[in-house]
Amino acid sequence: MSDATDRAYELGFGTVDTEYADRRLPVEGTVPSWLSGALIRNGPGRFEFGGERATHWFDGLAMLRRYGFDDGTVSYTNRFLRTGAYAAADAGHGATEFATGDGSLRRTLRWLRSLGPPEPTDNATVHVARLGEHFVALTEAPRRIAFDPVTLETRGEFRWHDDIGEHLATAHLTVDPNREETIGYSTEFGLSPSYHVYRIPHGHAARRHVATVPAAGPGYVHDCSVTESYVVIVETPLRIALAKALAPWNEGLLDVLEYDETATSRFIVVDRDAETLAGTVETSPFFTFHHVNAYDDGDELVVDLVAFDDDEIVRALTFESLSAGAFAAAPDGRFVRFRFQPDEGGVRRSRRYDGGLELPTVPASVRGRRYRYAYAQATDRTGANGLVKLDVERGTATEWWERGVYVEEPRMVRRPGGTAEDDGVVIAPALDTGRERSMLLVFDAETLVEQARAPLPHAVPFGFHGRYFPDT
């Protein structure tokens, strides 16, 4: 690995020891005075448990980060979620998460004492959402942790009181500002595995069942798309082996995932108004974590994804692989567009950008609708991660890179009163390996010209996802 890549691995997957509260950051450049609100992000902050290190990036202890904006200033708060997983880690015990086991004997004893599988983890480390007046941290286990959106203090577990079954939950609740609701789904095991789709109206915290559709496998499904008419779940050949999942000696979710090269990928389409399955369409196999966007185009659906040839990316994110060079050599996701009719066979696919990318976002106003611009982390250069703006109509891209800087997930924030789709700013945290600290970057959303950077007092481990809340 190069020096920059070595430092990125050490700093980006290192443990944070200090929590800051409302720390005013120095600003190099100018943050627009209209930018008012907070970017709240989630991700791992600690990887050591009782003298042992986690084995996978996904298994760090959840730490929230808040970047507050007010009249050109930037403030920073970071705080670990105070959960059962946090208490166990503080006591020197690890937790079985995505890939890191805590010892098969202890798990077997817990299984026997509880007469069933152990309780799923409350280490909600993947994403955040607003449900009514509640701000919650999310993971793929069916447990959600409420927190204060200003101080990030943990408020306790958020629970739904309904009969929607879930053995796995989505951490990607999809907010549709046009229909003023949030869409989610869960996976339920059993003799007939199923996906349950639900909706949460804006301003409310309770969810309502939309439809239940059969699962094949079931598959490991990380994200979904919405259009004005449909919810789209993409089920890839990365299957959850249920017999392994129920065994007390498995070492986490990674241990029970199996990629079936002979299987197809399926688009499962749910009609949002009729609340029924509109159809399933199969295509040649691929893997995806994240959706870019989707929209209705006449009688066809357009679904844009970050697609991989297979599940190699999942295995490449173990620390064993990352430390051995996979950090620089991990496979790149590609922007792929799929077109199909929801109730007929036949899928057309095309690549809209040849570079590697991940963690995509589109302006909120065009989510689920025909759109022109998408923003993402650019991943295909050694010694840096960049930022890319895609013009999906013209098939062109604008990129920003800086040697030794690793940009994380971007978020586009529209300027109040702006009419153009790209009128606003793009904000993204980044790790500066040269200065050995993280920073918050602000770009003009039209040109990707850097407007400001605000260095943090420390290096923050690479996180996963976040949302911008204009009214916190």
Side-chain angles (χ1 to χ4, degrees):
M1 290 191 289
S2 67
D3 290 342
T5 305
D6 286 338
R7 295 303 293 145
Y9 175 78
E10 294 168 6
L11 297 169
F13 302 107
T15 289
V16 164
D17 297 317
T18 305
E19 294 176 319
Y20 292 91
D22 200 27
R23 174 75 170 254
R24 180 80 168 264
L25 300 180
V27 175
E28 303 168 11
T30 302
V31 176
S33 59
W34 58 259
L35 188 62
S36 177
L39 170 66
I40 301 179
R41 287 181 44 77
N42 201 347
R46 176 177 173 181
F47 297 101
E48 282 75 32
F49 310 97
E52 296 185 1
R53 181 168 167 81
T55 61
H56 198 284
W57 178 30
F58 294 176
D59 286 345
L61 201 61
M63 186 185 77
L64 299 175
R65 308 96 146 118
R66 182 185 191 274
Y67 303 90
F69 303 92
D70 181 30
D71 196 23
T73 67
V74 183
S75 62
Y76 170 70
T77 299
N78 69 301
R79 188 172 178 85
F80 285 95
L81 286 176
R82 269 41 174 198
T83 60
Y86 179 89
D90 235 21
H93 304 295
T96 299
E97 308 282 353
F98 189 84
T100 304
D102 68 345
S104 59
L105 178 58
R106 286 197 298 275
R107 280 182 55 78
T108 302
L109 291 175
R110 291 210 311 271
W111 175 294
L112 293 173
R113 284 196 295 269
S114 64
L115 300 179
E119 187 177 26
T121 179
D122 62 355
N123 185 33
T125 187
V126 179
H127 215 326
V128 296
R130 182 173 185 173
L131 306 174
E133 296 304 312
H134 304 273
F135 289 79
V136 296
L138 307 167
T139 185
E140 294 184 316
R143 300 185 70 182
R144 302 155 184 93
I145 306 300
F147 63 89
D148 185 287
V150 176
T151 66
L152 303 185
E153 292 180 359
T154 304
R155 287 181 166 172
E157 188 159 354
F158 175 92
R159 297 179 185 272
W160 275 310
H161 300 285
D162 56 41
D163 60 356
I164 297 176
E166 52 181 3
H167 291 113
L168 286 179
T170 179
H172 279 272
L173 294 175
T174 302
V175 180
D176 183 352
N178 300 300
R179 291 188 53 158
E180 297 187 343
E181 65 181 12
T182 295
I183 297 294
Y185 62 90
S186 64
T187 303
E188 186 172 25
F189 303 154
L191 295 177
S192 301
S194 301
Y195 306 117
H196 303 294
V197 179
Y198 55 84
R199 58 164 42 102
I200 308 160
H202 284 190
H204 298 267
R207 61 183 177 176
R208 187 170 70 81
H209 178 263
V210 173
T212 293
V213 295
Y220 170 65
V221 181
H222 184 72
D223 197 1
C224 74
S225 282
V226 299
T227 72
E228 292 185 76
S229 304
Y230 301 105
V231 178
V232 183
I233 292 175
V234 179
E235 182 184 66
T236 73
L238 187 58
R239 310 299 202 200
I240 301 169
L242 294 182
K244 288 185 177 180
L246 295 175
W249 49 81
N250 77 71
E251 293 292 300
L253 183 57
L254 183 63
D255 197 40
V256 303
L257 296 178
E258 297 179 346
Y259 194 79
D260 184 355
E261 296 179 349
T262 66
T264 60
S265 289
R266 288 201 308 158
F267 292 91
I268 302 170
V269 184
V270 172
D271 189 305
R272 295 174 70 175
D273 294 320
E275 299 190 341
T276 59
L277 177 65
T280 61
V281 180
E282 298 185 5
T283 188
S284 53
F286 64 90
F287 175 72
T288 184
F289 277 121
H290 300 116
H291 295 217
V292 181
N293 198 20
Y295 61 89
D296 304 328
D297 188 14
D299 59 356
E300 287 189 321
L301 278 175
V302 175
V303 180
D304 294 339
L305 305 172
V306 178
F308 297 85
D309 291 338
D310 52 34
D311 69 329
E312 181 186 349
I313 182 62
V314 181
R315 316 290 167 176
L317 298 178
T318 66
F319 287 148
E320 181 180 8
S321 295
L322 290 168
S323 63
F327 186 67
D332 291 308
R334 305 295 179 183
F335 186 113
V336 180
R337 170 163 288 182
F338 298 85
R339 278 185 171 271
F340 56 91
Q341 295 185 15
D343 57 351
E344 294 185 13
V347 177
R348 305 195 307 277
R349 68 170 75 186
S350 59
R351 186 176 290 183
R352 309 296 290 179
Y353 169 65
D354 287 331
L357 79 165
E358 249 297 0
L359 304 172
T361 188
V362 299
S365 60
V366 294
R367 191 172 300 134
R369 298 186 173 190
R370 185 184 295 272
Y371 71 110
R372 181 171 179 177
Y373 301 115
Y375 302 86
Q377 175 196 63
T379 61
D380 58 351
R381 294 191 188 180
T382 301
N385 277 342
L387 175 67
V388 59
K389 176 187 179 182
L390 303 174
D391 185 329
V392 298
E393 288 185 359
R394 296 183 177 180
T396 59
T398 303
E399 299 180 352
W400 181 95
W401 299 83
E402 186 174 305
R403 180 71 177 177
V405 172
Y406 289 78
V407 179
E408 298 187 62
E409 178 189 60
R411 304 301 295 184
M412 191 276 182
V413 183
R414 191 88 167 267
R415 182 180 63 84
T419 56
E421 185 179 322
D422 59 351
D423 186 353
V425 297
V426 176
I427 53 179
L431 174 64
D432 184 342
T433 60
R435 300 173 71 171
E436 298 191 349
R437 64 174 59 188
S438 298
M439 57 185 171
L440 194 283
L441 296 172
V442 182
F443 300 88
D444 180 275
E446 180 183 3
T447 62
L448 281 200
V449 171
E450 181 185 328
Q451 294 187 324
R453 60 178 61 188
L456 273 60
H458 59 179
V460 179
F462 294 128
F464 300 130
H465 302 291
R467 300 183 192 273
Y468 182 79
F469 300 99
D471 56 349
T472 53

